Amino acid sequence: MSKPTPEVYEQGRGMDAHNQVMRSIRAKKDRTYDPHEPTRVWLDEDNTPDGVRQSLTIILNTGGCRWARAGGCTMCGYVAESVEGGSVSHEALMDQIEVCLEHEREEADEKSPLIKIYTSGSFLDEREVGARSREAIAETFGDRERIVVESLPDFVEGERVADFTDRGLETDVAVGLETATDRVRRDCVNKYFDFADFIEASEAAGAAGAGIKAYLLMKPPFLSESEAVEDMKRSIRRCAEYAHTVSMNPTNVQRYTMVDELYFRGGYRPPWLWSVAEVLESTADADAIVVSDPVGHGSDRGPHNCGECDDRVQRAIKDFDLRQDPSVFEQVSCECEATWEAVMRREMGYNMPLAR
Ligand code: SF4
Ligand SMILES: [Zn+2]
């Protein structure tokens, strides 16, 4: 990939030490990608404020997140999916959209009412997706019901969001807030913005007629299991004041990240699925849809329990996502809950991870 460098925009943000480490780790990655192909595309079902809908999720390849080029977040390997040269032309972006539409035509009986577009960065950053491409994409999906676009708070501006809302699309801006606690976001995740910036972005989106979907990260490095659980419970309740949907996702160990280096040296364990269940159950009365999609569940590099019960707990979590009924967790149990409870009580900053 093109060499990660801090650019003027990123200088002085985040922690210099974190950025330096992340830059040197990312520099080991040397794969490049075709700018005419999306990074990924798939069909699924999602819980929206209007009910469960078929969704088409698109990960556009836009050249990667500029924050990641400066070093970036400790758990994020997404820049590894960027393209040589760091930017993708309008024509290439539209080719990617065409590949996604083709996938939908082949795999689904009908058009998906819900479109979700992620970019491994910020869709609303005009250096990733220019105004012309943004408008053309809004036009392409103008006949759908709802669209979700991902962005860091800095780039959430009324007129960019209005490209979608003006076409009558229910629009959500998905923000990778990670946590409502500024100290955890800065010191553990190495993200540079504050909760106050998230509030400002949610107000800008709201004024343009859009809603906010907040993404939270459970258990970034340097937090014990119980600290991570408490951080999520608090964060979900604070986010629910601004976001109609909160997607809380457990950290998984991605290649070419600081989390991967810690994991490799025995200093990091992804969260237990019991922790995910505990948070969802205890915040079920929060005034937002709260969902979680544990990636790589049951594997050592993903959120996991003992190996015996992972699939069952994952199913309960997916069930909760669609129905928001905390009683789904009463139906799953396993002997390893006792180990998890001991970890919750005894794991501290200096003895992590207490159990595998
Ligand atoms: S998590 Fe988002 S902001 Fe952080 S480096 Fe990855 S893509 Fe960039
Ligand atoms: Zn178990």
Side-chain angles (χ1 to χ4, degrees), residues 175-231:
V175 178
L177 177 69
E178 317 304 4
T179 163
T181 316
D182 287 339
R183 197 178 66 82
V184 173
R185 189 177 325 95
R186 259 179 314 201
D187 296 354
C188 303
V189 183
N190 195 36
K191 260 193 180 170
Y192 57 80
F193 62 85
D194 288 337
F195 194 67
D197 301 314
F198 167 75
I199 296 174
E200 214 175 286
S202 75
E203 286 166 354
I212 288 281
K213 193 173 174 190
Y215 279 76
L216 298 179
L217 178 76
M218 174 182 255
K219 206 180 178 191
F222 317 119
L223 289 189
S224 68
E225 195 78 17
S226 61
E227 286 171 332
V229 166
E230 283 315 308
D231 180 50

Short mmCIF file of all heavy atoms in Angstrom, two decimals, residues 175-231:
data_model
loop_
_atom_site.label_atom_id
_atom_site.label_comp_id
_atom_site.label_asym_id
_atom_site.label_seq_id
_atom_site.Cartn_x
_atom_site.Cartn_y
_atom_site.Cartn_z
N VAL A 175 -21.80 6.79 13.12
CA VAL A 175 -20.57 7.38 13.65
C VAL A 175 -19.84 6.37 14.53
O VAL A 175 -20.43 5.81 15.46
CB VAL A 175 -20.89 8.66 14.47
CG1 VAL A 175 -19.60 9.24 15.07
CG2 VAL A 175 -21.59 9.69 13.62
N GLY A 176 -18.58 6.14 14.23
CA GLY A 176 -17.77 5.23 15.06
C GLY A 176 -17.31 5.94 16.30
O GLY A 176 -16.14 6.31 16.44
N LEU A 177 -18.23 6.12 17.21
CA LEU A 177 -17.93 6.83 18.46
C LEU A 177 -17.04 5.99 19.37
O LEU A 177 -16.22 6.51 20.11
CB LEU A 177 -19.26 7.15 19.17
CG LEU A 177 -19.17 7.82 20.52
CD1 LEU A 177 -18.66 9.25 20.39
CD2 LEU A 177 -20.53 7.81 21.22
N GLU A 178 -17.25 4.70 19.35
CA GLU A 178 -16.52 3.68 20.14
C GLU A 178 -16.87 3.66 21.63
O GLU A 178 -17.07 2.62 22.21
CB GLU A 178 -15.00 3.78 19.97
CG GLU A 178 -14.49 4.00 18.55
CD GLU A 178 -14.94 2.98 17.52
OE1 GLU A 178 -15.72 2.08 17.86
OE2 GLU A 178 -14.54 3.09 16.35
N THR A 179 -16.92 4.82 22.26
CA THR A 179 -17.28 4.90 23.67
C THR A 179 -17.70 6.33 23.98
O THR A 179 -17.26 7.26 23.29
CB THR A 179 -16.10 4.50 24.58
OG1 THR A 179 -16.36 4.97 25.93
CG2 THR A 179 -14.80 5.13 24.12
N ALA A 180 -18.54 6.50 24.99
CA ALA A 180 -18.92 7.86 25.38
C ALA A 180 -17.89 8.46 26.34
O ALA A 180 -17.98 9.62 26.70
CB ALA A 180 -20.30 7.84 26.04
N THR A 181 -16.91 7.66 26.74
CA THR A 181 -15.90 8.13 27.70
C THR A 181 -14.69 8.68 26.95
O THR A 181 -13.97 7.92 26.27
CB THR A 181 -15.43 6.95 28.59
OG1 THR A 181 -16.58 6.21 28.98
CG2 THR A 181 -14.67 7.43 29.80
N ASP A 182 -14.45 9.97 27.04
CA ASP A 182 -13.38 10.59 26.25
C ASP A 182 -12.01 9.98 26.54
O ASP A 182 -11.21 9.76 25.64
CB ASP A 182 -13.33 12.10 26.50
CG ASP A 182 -14.50 12.82 25.82
OD1 ASP A 182 -15.08 12.25 24.88
OD2 ASP A 182 -14.83 13.94 26.24
N ARG A 183 -11.75 9.68 27.80
CA ARG A 183 -10.43 9.15 28.16
C ARG A 183 -10.19 7.79 27.50
O ARG A 183 -9.11 7.52 26.99
CB ARG A 183 -10.31 9.02 29.69
CG ARG A 183 -8.86 8.88 30.14
CD ARG A 183 -8.78 8.80 31.65
NE ARG A 183 -9.40 7.57 32.17
CZ ARG A 183 -8.80 6.39 32.21
NH1 ARG A 183 -7.56 6.27 31.79
NH2 ARG A 183 -9.42 5.33 32.68
N VAL A 184 -11.21 6.94 27.49
CA VAL A 184 -11.06 5.62 26.87
C VAL A 184 -10.88 5.77 25.36
O VAL A 184 -10.04 5.11 24.74
CB VAL A 184 -12.27 4.71 27.20
CG1 VAL A 184 -12.20 3.40 26.42
CG2 VAL A 184 -12.35 4.45 28.70
N ARG A 185 -11.66 6.68 24.77
CA ARG A 185 -11.56 6.87 23.31
C ARG A 185 -10.16 7.35 22.93
O ARG A 185 -9.58 6.93 21.94
CB ARG A 185 -12.62 7.85 22.79
CG ARG A 185 -12.70 7.91 21.27
CD ARG A 185 -13.80 8.84 20.72
NE ARG A 185 -14.98 8.81 21.55
CZ ARG A 185 -15.22 9.70 22.52
NH1 ARG A 185 -14.39 10.70 22.71
NH2 ARG A 185 -16.30 9.59 23.26
N ARG A 186 -9.62 8.26 23.73
CA ARG A 186 -8.29 8.80 23.40
C ARG A 186 -7.16 7.83 23.74
O ARG A 186 -6.30 7.54 22.93
CB ARG A 186 -8.06 10.12 24.13
CG ARG A 186 -8.27 11.33 23.20
CD ARG A 186 -8.05 12.58 23.96
NE ARG A 186 -8.77 12.37 25.18
CZ ARG A 186 -9.22 13.24 26.06
NH1 ARG A 186 -8.98 14.39 25.96
NH2 ARG A 186 -9.92 12.96 27.10
N ASP A 187 -7.18 7.31 24.97
CA ASP A 187 -6.02 6.55 25.45
C ASP A 187 -6.03 5.09 24.99
O ASP A 187 -4.96 4.50 24.80
CB ASP A 187 -5.94 6.58 26.98
CG ASP A 187 -5.70 7.99 27.50
OD1 ASP A 187 -5.49 8.89 26.67
OD2 ASP A 187 -5.73 8.20 28.72
N CYS A 188 -7.19 4.49 24.85
CA CYS A 188 -7.25 3.07 24.49
C CYS A 188 -7.48 2.86 23.00
O CYS A 188 -6.95 1.93 22.41
CB CYS A 188 -8.35 2.36 25.28
SG CYS A 188 -8.16 2.51 27.07
N VAL A 189 -8.31 3.71 22.39
CA VAL A 189 -8.64 3.52 20.98
C VAL A 189 -7.75 4.39 20.09
O VAL A 189 -7.51 4.07 18.94
CB VAL A 189 -10.13 3.87 20.72
CG1 VAL A 189 -10.51 3.61 19.26
CG2 VAL A 189 -11.05 3.09 21.65
N ASN A 190 -7.27 5.51 20.66
CA ASN A 190 -6.50 6.50 19.88
C ASN A 190 -7.37 7.16 18.81
O ASN A 190 -6.94 7.34 17.68
CB ASN A 190 -5.25 5.89 19.25
CG ASN A 190 -4.27 6.98 18.77
OD1 ASN A 190 -4.14 8.01 19.41
ND2 ASN A 190 -3.62 6.74 17.65
N LYS A 191 -8.59 7.53 19.20
CA LYS A 191 -9.42 8.37 18.32
C LYS A 191 -9.34 9.79 18.84
O LYS A 191 -9.25 10.00 20.04
CB LYS A 191 -10.86 7.88 18.33
CG LYS A 191 -11.15 7.07 17.11
CD LYS A 191 -12.59 6.80 16.85
CE LYS A 191 -12.62 5.95 15.57
NZ LYS A 191 -13.91 5.40 15.28
N TYR A 192 -9.39 10.76 17.93
CA TYR A 192 -9.03 12.11 18.33
C TYR A 192 -10.18 13.02 18.72
O TYR A 192 -9.99 14.12 19.16
CB TYR A 192 -8.22 12.78 17.22
CG TYR A 192 -8.96 12.82 15.89
CD1 TYR A 192 -9.92 13.79 15.65
CD2 TYR A 192 -8.71 11.87 14.91
CE1 TYR A 192 -10.61 13.82 14.46
CE2 TYR A 192 -9.40 11.89 13.72
CZ TYR A 192 -10.34 12.87 13.49
OH TYR A 192 -11.04 12.88 12.31
N PHE A 193 -11.44 12.57 18.49
CA PHE A 193 -12.53 13.51 18.77
C PHE A 193 -13.17 13.22 20.13
O PHE A 193 -12.93 12.16 20.72
CB PHE A 193 -13.57 13.50 17.65
CG PHE A 193 -14.25 12.16 17.47
CD1 PHE A 193 -15.36 11.82 18.23
CD2 PHE A 193 -13.79 11.26 16.52
CE1 PHE A 193 -15.98 10.59 18.06
CE2 PHE A 193 -14.41 10.03 16.35
CZ PHE A 193 -15.51 9.70 17.12
N ASP A 194 -13.95 14.18 20.61
CA ASP A 194 -14.59 14.05 21.92
C ASP A 194 -16.08 13.79 21.79
O ASP A 194 -16.65 13.98 20.72
CB ASP A 194 -14.39 15.35 22.73
CG ASP A 194 -12.95 15.49 23.19
OD1 ASP A 194 -12.25 14.46 23.28
OD2 ASP A 194 -12.52 16.63 23.43
N PHE A 195 -16.67 13.41 22.90
CA PHE A 195 -18.11 13.18 22.91
C PHE A 195 -18.85 14.45 22.47
O PHE A 195 -19.87 14.39 21.79
CB PHE A 195 -18.57 12.73 24.30
CG PHE A 195 -19.96 12.16 24.31
CD1 PHE A 195 -20.24 10.97 23.66
CD2 PHE A 195 -21.00 12.83 24.95
CE1 PHE A 195 -21.53 10.43 23.66
CE2 PHE A 195 -22.29 12.30 24.95
CZ PHE A 195 -22.55 11.10 24.31
N ALA A 196 -18.31 15.61 22.85
CA ALA A 196 -18.94 16.88 22.47
C ALA A 196 -19.01 17.01 20.94
O ALA A 196 -19.99 17.56 20.40
CB ALA A 196 -18.17 18.06 23.06
N ASP A 197 -18.00 16.49 20.22
CA ASP A 197 -18.03 16.55 18.75
C ASP A 197 -19.12 15.64 18.19
O ASP A 197 -19.74 15.95 17.18
CB ASP A 197 -16.67 16.11 18.17
CG ASP A 197 -15.54 17.00 18.67
OD1 ASP A 197 -15.71 18.22 18.65
OD2 ASP A 197 -14.51 16.46 19.09
N PHE A 198 -19.31 14.51 18.86
CA PHE A 198 -20.38 13.59 18.46
C PHE A 198 -21.74 14.27 18.63
O PHE A 198 -22.61 14.17 17.75
CB PHE A 198 -20.29 12.31 19.31
CG PHE A 198 -21.48 11.41 19.22
CD1 PHE A 198 -21.70 10.63 18.09
CD2 PHE A 198 -22.39 11.33 20.27
CE1 PHE A 198 -22.80 9.79 18.01
CE2 PHE A 198 -23.49 10.50 20.20
CZ PHE A 198 -23.70 9.72 19.06
N ILE A 199 -21.90 14.99 19.74
CA ILE A 199 -23.18 15.69 19.97
C ILE A 199 -23.40 16.72 18.87
O ILE A 199 -24.48 16.82 18.29
CB ILE A 199 -23.19 16.37 21.36
CG1 ILE A 199 -23.10 15.31 22.47
CG2 ILE A 199 -24.44 17.23 21.55
CD1 ILE A 199 -22.96 15.88 23.87
N GLU A 200 -22.33 17.46 18.54
CA GLU A 200 -22.43 18.48 17.50
C GLU A 200 -22.82 17.85 16.15
O GLU A 200 -23.67 18.36 15.44
CB GLU A 200 -21.07 19.16 17.36
CG GLU A 200 -21.15 20.62 17.00
CD GLU A 200 -19.76 21.24 17.01
OE1 GLU A 200 -19.20 21.47 18.10
OE2 GLU A 200 -19.24 21.45 15.90
N ALA A 201 -22.18 16.71 15.83
CA ALA A 201 -22.49 16.02 14.57
C ALA A 201 -23.94 15.54 14.57
O ALA A 201 -24.64 15.62 13.56
CB ALA A 201 -21.54 14.84 14.36
N SER A 202 -24.41 15.08 15.72
CA SER A 202 -25.78 14.57 15.76
C SER A 202 -26.77 15.73 15.59
O SER A 202 -27.82 15.57 14.98
CB SER A 202 -26.05 13.78 17.05
OG SER A 202 -26.18 14.64 18.14
N GLU A 203 -26.37 16.91 16.06
CA GLU A 203 -27.25 18.07 15.86
C GLU A 203 -27.25 18.51 14.40
O GLU A 203 -28.31 18.83 13.85
CB GLU A 203 -26.81 19.22 16.79
CG GLU A 203 -27.20 18.92 18.24
CD GLU A 203 -26.52 19.82 19.27
OE1 GLU A 203 -25.64 20.63 18.89
OE2 GLU A 203 -26.87 19.70 20.45
N ALA A 204 -26.07 18.47 13.76
CA ALA A 204 -26.00 18.85 12.34
C ALA A 204 -26.82 17.87 11.49
O ALA A 204 -27.57 18.26 10.59
CB ALA A 204 -24.56 18.86 11.86
N ALA A 205 -26.69 16.58 11.80
CA ALA A 205 -27.45 15.56 11.06
C ALA A 205 -28.94 15.76 11.30
O ALA A 205 -29.75 15.73 10.36
CB ALA A 205 -27.02 14.17 11.49
N GLY A 206 -29.30 16.00 12.55
CA GLY A 206 -30.71 16.19 12.92
C GLY A 206 -31.32 17.38 12.19
O GLY A 206 -32.43 17.31 11.68
N ALA A 207 -30.54 18.48 12.10
CA ALA A 207 -31.06 19.69 11.43
C ALA A 207 -31.31 19.42 9.95
O ALA A 207 -32.17 20.04 9.33
CB ALA A 207 -30.07 20.84 11.61
N ALA A 208 -30.54 18.48 9.36
CA ALA A 208 -30.73 18.16 7.93
C ALA A 208 -31.74 17.02 7.76
O ALA A 208 -31.94 16.52 6.66
CB ALA A 208 -29.39 17.77 7.31
N GLY A 209 -32.36 16.62 8.85
CA GLY A 209 -33.42 15.60 8.75
C GLY A 209 -32.93 14.17 8.85
O GLY A 209 -33.66 13.24 8.51
N ALA A 210 -31.70 13.99 9.31
CA ALA A 210 -31.15 12.62 9.41
C ALA A 210 -31.04 12.19 10.87
O ALA A 210 -31.07 13.02 11.78
CB ALA A 210 -29.78 12.56 8.74
N GLY A 211 -30.90 10.91 11.07
CA GLY A 211 -30.72 10.36 12.41
C GLY A 211 -29.29 9.88 12.61
O GLY A 211 -28.48 9.89 11.67
N ILE A 212 -29.00 9.46 13.81
CA ILE A 212 -27.64 9.01 14.13
C ILE A 212 -27.67 7.55 14.57
O ILE A 212 -28.53 7.13 15.35
CB ILE A 212 -27.03 9.86 15.26
CG1 ILE A 212 -26.70 11.26 14.75
CG2 ILE A 212 -25.80 9.21 15.87
CD1 ILE A 212 -25.42 11.39 13.96
N LYS A 213 -26.70 6.81 14.04
CA LYS A 213 -26.49 5.45 14.49
C LYS A 213 -25.09 5.44 15.11
O LYS A 213 -24.12 5.82 14.43
CB LYS A 213 -26.56 4.52 13.28
CG LYS A 213 -26.65 3.08 13.62
CD LYS A 213 -26.91 2.23 12.37
CE LYS A 213 -26.85 0.77 12.77
NZ LYS A 213 -26.84 -0.13 11.63
N ALA A 214 -24.99 5.11 16.38
CA ALA A 214 -23.68 5.15 17.03
C ALA A 214 -23.07 3.76 17.07
O ALA A 214 -23.76 2.79 17.40
CB ALA A 214 -23.83 5.71 18.44
N TYR A 215 -21.80 3.67 16.73
CA TYR A 215 -21.07 2.41 16.84
C TYR A 215 -20.17 2.46 18.06
O TYR A 215 -19.39 3.40 18.21
CB TYR A 215 -20.23 2.16 15.57
CG TYR A 215 -21.06 1.60 14.47
CD1 TYR A 215 -21.93 2.42 13.75
CD2 TYR A 215 -21.06 0.23 14.19
CE1 TYR A 215 -22.74 1.91 12.77
CE2 TYR A 215 -21.87 -0.29 13.19
CZ TYR A 215 -22.70 0.54 12.49
OH TYR A 215 -23.51 0.03 11.52
N LEU A 216 -20.31 1.47 18.90
CA LEU A 216 -19.47 1.40 20.10
C LEU A 216 -18.56 0.19 20.02
O LEU A 216 -18.89 -0.82 19.39
CB LEU A 216 -20.36 1.30 21.35
CG LEU A 216 -21.29 2.48 21.63
CD1 LEU A 216 -22.11 2.21 22.89
CD2 LEU A 216 -20.51 3.78 21.78
N LEU A 217 -17.44 0.29 20.69
CA LEU A 217 -16.44 -0.77 20.67
C LEU A 217 -16.28 -1.34 22.07
O LEU A 217 -15.89 -0.62 23.00
CB LEU A 217 -15.10 -0.20 20.21
CG LEU A 217 -13.94 -1.17 20.18
CD1 LEU A 217 -14.06 -2.09 18.96
CD2 LEU A 217 -12.61 -0.41 20.13
N MET A 218 -16.61 -2.62 22.21
CA MET A 218 -16.46 -3.22 23.54
C MET A 218 -15.05 -3.78 23.73
O MET A 218 -14.57 -4.58 22.93
CB MET A 218 -17.47 -4.35 23.72
CG MET A 218 -17.24 -5.09 25.02
SD MET A 218 -18.36 -6.45 25.22
CE MET A 218 -19.44 -5.75 26.43
N LYS A 219 -14.43 -3.34 24.78
CA LYS A 219 -13.10 -3.82 25.19
C LYS A 219 -11.96 -3.48 24.23
O LYS A 219 -11.32 -4.36 23.65
CB LYS A 219 -13.13 -5.33 25.47
CG LYS A 219 -12.02 -5.73 26.47
CD LYS A 219 -12.05 -7.21 26.76
CE LYS A 219 -10.91 -7.57 27.71
NZ LYS A 219 -10.72 -9.02 27.84
N PRO A 220 -11.68 -2.18 24.13
CA PRO A 220 -10.43 -1.81 23.46
C PRO A 220 -9.27 -2.28 24.33
O PRO A 220 -9.49 -2.70 25.46
CB PRO A 220 -10.50 -0.27 23.42
CG PRO A 220 -11.40 0.10 24.54
CD PRO A 220 -12.38 -1.03 24.70
N PRO A 221 -8.03 -2.24 23.83
CA PRO A 221 -6.92 -2.68 24.68
C PRO A 221 -6.79 -1.81 25.92
O PRO A 221 -7.27 -0.68 25.93
CB PRO A 221 -5.70 -2.49 23.77
CG PRO A 221 -6.12 -1.52 22.72
CD PRO A 221 -7.58 -1.73 22.53
N PHE A 222 -6.18 -2.36 26.93
CA PHE A 222 -5.87 -1.69 28.21
C PHE A 222 -7.04 -1.57 29.17
O PHE A 222 -6.91 -0.96 30.22
CB PHE A 222 -5.23 -0.29 27.98
CG PHE A 222 -4.19 -0.26 26.90
CD1 PHE A 222 -4.34 0.54 25.77
CD2 PHE A 222 -3.05 -1.06 26.99
CE1 PHE A 222 -3.39 0.55 24.76
CE2 PHE A 222 -2.09 -1.06 25.99
CZ PHE A 222 -2.26 -0.25 24.87
N LEU A 223 -8.20 -2.15 28.84
CA LEU A 223 -9.30 -2.19 29.81
C LEU A 223 -9.49 -3.63 30.26
O LEU A 223 -9.42 -4.55 29.45
CB LEU A 223 -10.62 -1.71 29.18
CG LEU A 223 -10.82 -0.24 28.85
CD1 LEU A 223 -12.28 0.01 28.47
CD2 LEU A 223 -10.41 0.67 30.00
N SER A 224 -9.78 -3.81 31.55
CA SER A 224 -10.12 -5.15 32.03
C SER A 224 -11.54 -5.48 31.58
O SER A 224 -12.28 -4.60 31.13
CB SER A 224 -10.02 -5.19 33.56
OG SER A 224 -11.05 -4.40 34.10
N GLU A 225 -11.91 -6.75 31.74
CA GLU A 225 -13.25 -7.18 31.30
C GLU A 225 -14.36 -6.35 31.98
O GLU A 225 -15.26 -5.86 31.33
CB GLU A 225 -13.43 -8.67 31.61
CG GLU A 225 -14.59 -9.33 30.90
CD GLU A 225 -14.31 -9.66 29.42
OE1 GLU A 225 -13.16 -9.68 28.98
OE2 GLU A 225 -15.30 -9.88 28.69
N SER A 226 -14.24 -6.17 33.30
CA SER A 226 -15.32 -5.46 34.00
C SER A 226 -15.31 -3.97 33.66
O SER A 226 -16.37 -3.35 33.53
CB SER A 226 -15.22 -5.66 35.51
OG SER A 226 -14.00 -5.15 36.00
N GLU A 227 -14.13 -3.38 33.45
CA GLU A 227 -14.08 -1.97 33.02
C GLU A 227 -14.74 -1.81 31.66
O GLU A 227 -15.46 -0.85 31.41
CB GLU A 227 -12.63 -1.49 32.93
CG GLU A 227 -11.98 -1.26 34.27
CD GLU A 227 -10.46 -0.99 34.15
OE1 GLU A 227 -9.82 -1.49 33.20
OE2 GLU A 227 -9.93 -0.31 35.03
N ALA A 228 -14.49 -2.80 30.78
CA ALA A 228 -15.07 -2.74 29.43
C ALA A 228 -16.59 -2.83 29.50
O ALA A 228 -17.31 -2.10 28.81
CB ALA A 228 -14.50 -3.87 28.57
N VAL A 229 -17.09 -3.71 30.36
CA VAL A 229 -18.54 -3.88 30.50
C VAL A 229 -19.17 -2.59 31.06
O VAL A 229 -20.17 -2.09 30.53
CB VAL A 229 -18.86 -5.10 31.39
CG1 VAL A 229 -20.32 -5.10 31.83
CG2 VAL A 229 -18.53 -6.39 30.63
N GLU A 230 -18.56 -2.04 32.09
CA GLU A 230 -19.09 -0.80 32.68
C GLU A 230 -19.07 0.33 31.67
O GLU A 230 -20.00 1.13 31.58
CB GLU A 230 -18.30 -0.41 33.94
CG GLU A 230 -18.64 -1.23 35.17
CD GLU A 230 -20.15 -1.39 35.35
OE1 GLU A 230 -20.87 -0.37 35.33
OE2 GLU A 230 -20.61 -2.55 35.47
N ASP A 231 -17.98 0.42 30.91
CA ASP A 231 -17.83 1.47 29.92
C ASP A 231 -18.97 1.39 28.88
O ASP A 231 -19.53 2.41 28.47
CB ASP A 231 -16.46 1.34 29.24
CG ASP A 231 -16.23 2.41 28.18
OD1 ASP A 231 -16.46 3.59 28.48
OD2 ASP A 231 -15.83 2.05 27.06
#
